[in-house]
Amino acid sequence: MKTNWRMVLLSGAVLTVVACGPQEEGDAGESASGTSADKLVIWEDAEKAIGIEKAVAAFEDMHGIEIEVIEKEYGGQLEDLRLDGPAGSGPDVLTIPHDQIGTAVVEGLLAPLEVDDEVTGRFTEESLLSQTVDGEVYGLPKAVETTILFYNKELVDEPPQTLDEWYELSKERVAEGEYGFVAKWDEIYYAMSVIGGGGGYIFPQNEDGQFDVNDIGLANEGAIEGGTYIQTFFEEGLFPAGIVGEQGINVLDSLFTEGKAAAVISGPWSFEPYARAGIDYGVLPLPALADGEPMSSFLGVKSYNVSSYSQNPELAQEFVEFLTNEENSLDRFEQTREIPPLTSLVEHPAIAEDEHAAAVSEQSLYATMTPNNPEMAEVWTPIDNALGLIATGRTDVQEALEEAVQTIESQIEANHSQN
């Protein structure tokens, strides 16, 4: 029976919390981050603080407090919190990618939020699930991102709507010494759109919402079918050999920005670089699969979270709720172009009439959360290695996928059997 792809990867992972937060009783007048009781320290994403300037000023006026905003790359903030939190120099509020939530909760780094239905009801279901662990909410979503199709308007008048049509266009382009459609399909982050199309999956969910890590569907019939389809693009020279490996994303970007590829799969992070390169590009949701079904993608969620080291958790939570209300989320979008996952803003003209935002929003309807359970850490490297072997034709598709699953199972047993 074909697996329901949207149900497979919902990342509202229900995890068992095995560690308590490190917050200790302390001087009420001094926070663990070295700030006084009338001050909050916020770690915001690099180059994104402009998006919350108005909200920060308004909250300071409302409460008569000082808010210090420090910009840091959001992917590394959790690692910094591990060091700075105990040292007394950490934040009250930080921003992290949702696939770090499960690990952060297990380590006791985040404080659970006491939020009511009025607050949780703002957000799309999947974005809120990304912040939920064992029934507790540990953050509020601020932005979502997923992969979409970029095409060069000078090279493609009417972009094909299906993968098969892009395959045919690619054969024509390669015959002329250029490339058509190019994707980083030697990495599961991008390849899952194809692997999952036929029924491949990572972890299914039990009826109680728990991920069943003993059932890995990356080598089932649908996954093998998807892997074979992926291999075709490499075998026929429709993708360049240089796209395989760590530098492959740079090769993909170069092909597109130099006008040598008609279309690529990338994400919102490419909006500015591609425009800066002078490419007149259009954006669309991912093309349909052979059966006409929309292609899925991984959905990433950025969130605001309260540090368990904060001595002002209630005020910090109130600030997080304030940052993610409709008014401030819309202002943040207008400043940063990052898509807020608020149901009330899905059809707002500022988003619906923005070509970039509309493409991301539409693709998000078919996207599923990257799993955020700790066992997911054992998946990335083995399956990417398998896809690399498939891309280079060094092994049979079925053999590569089956060996990857065996490795994942062994690593889960070795590193997570206590869970």
Side-chain angles (χ1 to χ4, degrees), residues 56-105:
V56 167
F59 198 83
E60 287 177 325
D61 289 344
M62 288 166 54
H63 291 274
I65 64 168
E66 176 188 354
I67 297 177
E68 180 183 4
V69 179
I70 301 172
E71 291 189 339
K72 288 175 172 281
E73 294 290 344
Y74 86 109
Q77 290 191 17
L78 195 64
E79 181 63 31
D80 289 345
L81 180 63
R82 291 187 179 103
L83 301 174
D84 294 346
S89 56
D92 296 284
V93 174
L94 66 159
T95 182
I96 62 177
H98 84 271
D99 58 1
Q100 295 182 1
I101 296 292
T103 298
V105 170

Side-chain angles (χ1 to χ4, degrees), residues 2 5 10 34 40 69 108 116 153 164 175 199 216-217 248 267 289 322 375 383 395 411:
K2 185 175 180 179
W5 169 231
L10 284 176
L40 291 176
V69 179
D116 56 30
K153 293 182 178 180
D164 284 349
I216 302 170
L289 297 166
F322 185 70
E375 293 84 357
I383 192 61
T395 188
Q411 291 182 176

Side-chain angles (χ1 to χ4, degrees), residues 11 74 96-102 127 130-131 299-303 368-372:
S11 68
Y74 86 109
I96 62 177
H98 84 271
D99 58 1
Q100 295 182 1
I101 296 292
S127 68
S130 75
Q131 306 300 306
L299 185 68
V301 180
K302 295 182 179 182
S303 58
T368 53
M369 295 289 179
T370 314
N372 67 353

Side-chain angles (χ1 to χ4, degrees), residues 15 91-92 111 145 212 217 245 291 302 376 385 415:
L15 305 174
D92 296 284
E145 61 184 21
D212 183 359
D291 60 3
K302 295 182 179 182
M376 185 63 190
N385 288 341
N415 299 324

Side-chain angles (χ1 to χ4, degrees), residues 234-288:
F234 288 96
E235 285 183 337
E236 298 188 10
L238 305 184
F239 290 175
I243 201 174
V244 179
E246 294 183 0
Q247 297 303 313
I249 196 66
N250 295 328
V251 173
L252 180 145
D253 288 339
S254 294
L255 287 172
F256 193 71
T257 56
E258 293 172 9
K260 296 178 180 179
V264 296
I265 289 180
S266 191
W269 51 88
S270 292
F271 288 157
E272 183 179 352
Y274 289 175
R276 196 165 56 240
I279 300 298
D280 182 15
Y281 67 84
V283 290
L284 292 169
L286 298 181

Side-chain angles (χ1 to χ4, degrees), residues 290-343:
D291 60 3
E293 290 296 311
M295 185 185 288
S296 184
S297 57
F298 276 140
L299 185 68
V301 180
K302 295 182 179 182
S303 58
Y304 287 117
N305 308 81
V306 176
S307 166
S308 57
Y309 294 95
S310 172
Q311 293 300 305
N312 301 309
E314 293 183 0
L315 186 62
Q317 175 179 320
E318 184 179 347
F319 182 61
V320 168
E321 293 181 17
F322 185 70
L323 281 178
T324 57
N325 68 24
E326 181 176 334
E327 179 182 353
N328 291 323
S329 294
L330 181 59
D331 181 63
R332 187 177 185 281
F333 163 74
E334 291 173 341
Q335 299 299 323
T336 66
R337 316 315 293 177
E338 292 191 325
I339 316 300
L342 273 67
T343 56

Side-chain angles (χ1 to χ4, degrees), residues 98-290:
H98 84 271
D99 58 1
Q100 295 182 1
I101 296 292
T103 298
V105 170
V106 168
E107 294 181 21
L109 299 174
L110 303 180
L113 306 184
E114 299 294 333
V115 287
D116 56 30
D117 292 343
E118 182 178 353
V119 173
T120 59
R122 298 173 184 168
F123 306 99
T124 60
E125 181 180 1
E126 291 194 4
S127 68
L128 186 65
L129 281 173
S130 75
Q131 306 300 306
T132 305
V133 177
D134 197 25
E136 296 274 7
V137 176
Y138 284 87
L140 295 181
K142 70 169 183 176
V144 293
E145 61 184 21
T146 193
T147 53
I148 55 176
L149 182 79
F150 291 72
Y151 68 95
N152 188 322
K153 293 182 178 180
E154 294 184 3
L155 302 178
V156 182
D157 293 328
E158 293 293 334
Q161 299 300 304
T162 69
L163 264 182
D164 284 349
E165 290 172 344
W166 277 109
Y167 168 78
E168 295 298 331
L169 185 146
S170 293
K171 289 197 296 186
E172 295 174 7
R173 291 275 301 174
V174 167
E176 298 170 356
E178 302 291 347
Y179 290 98
F181 163 82
V182 180
K184 194 77 172 70
W185 281 347
D186 65 317
E187 294 182 7
I188 193 62
Y189 179 77
Y190 299 95
M192 197 65 212
S193 297
V194 182
I195 296 292
Y201 56 90
I202 297 181
F203 304 122
Q205 286 180 292
N206 299 327
E207 292 181 359
D208 61 1
Q210 293 276 3
F211 282 111
D212 183 359
V213 299
N214 297 310
D215 180 4
I216 302 170
L218 290 173
N220 64 15
E221 183 177 351
I224 294 169
E225 179 182 345
T228 302
Y229 187 78
I230 286 171
Q231 192 174 61
T232 300
F233 279 78
F234 288 96
E235 285 183 337
E236 298 188 10
L238 305 184
F239 290 175
I243 201 174
V244 179
E246 294 183 0
Q247 297 303 313
I249 196 66
N250 295 328
V251 173
L252 180 145
D253 288 339
S254 294
L255 287 172
F256 193 71
T257 56
E258 293 172 9
K260 296 178 180 179
V264 296
I265 289 180
S266 191
W269 51 88
S270 292
F271 288 157
E272 183 179 352
Y274 289 175
R276 196 165 56 240
I279 300 298
D280 182 15
Y281 67 84
V283 290
L284 292 169
L286 298 181
L289 297 166

Side-chain angles (χ1 to χ4, degrees), residues 347-413:
E347 297 182 359
H348 191 283
I351 295 176
E353 295 175 7
D354 182 291
E355 180 187 14
H356 299 73
V360 174
S361 294
E362 184 176 348
Q363 180 60 38
S364 296
L365 298 175
Y366 313 115
T368 53
M369 295 289 179
T370 314
N372 67 353
N373 54 322
E375 293 84 357
M376 185 63 190
E378 314 304 337
V379 174
W380 299 107
T381 298
I383 192 61
D384 282 356
N385 288 341
L387 290 168
L389 293 173
I390 290 170
T392 54
R394 285 181 285 171
T395 188
D396 175 74
V397 172
Q398 181 172 346
E399 179 182 350
L401 294 179
E402 288 178 348
E403 289 185 0
V405 169
Q406 290 173 6
T407 301
I408 293 167
E409 290 173 341
S410 297
Q411 291 182 176
I412 289 176
E413 175 65 24

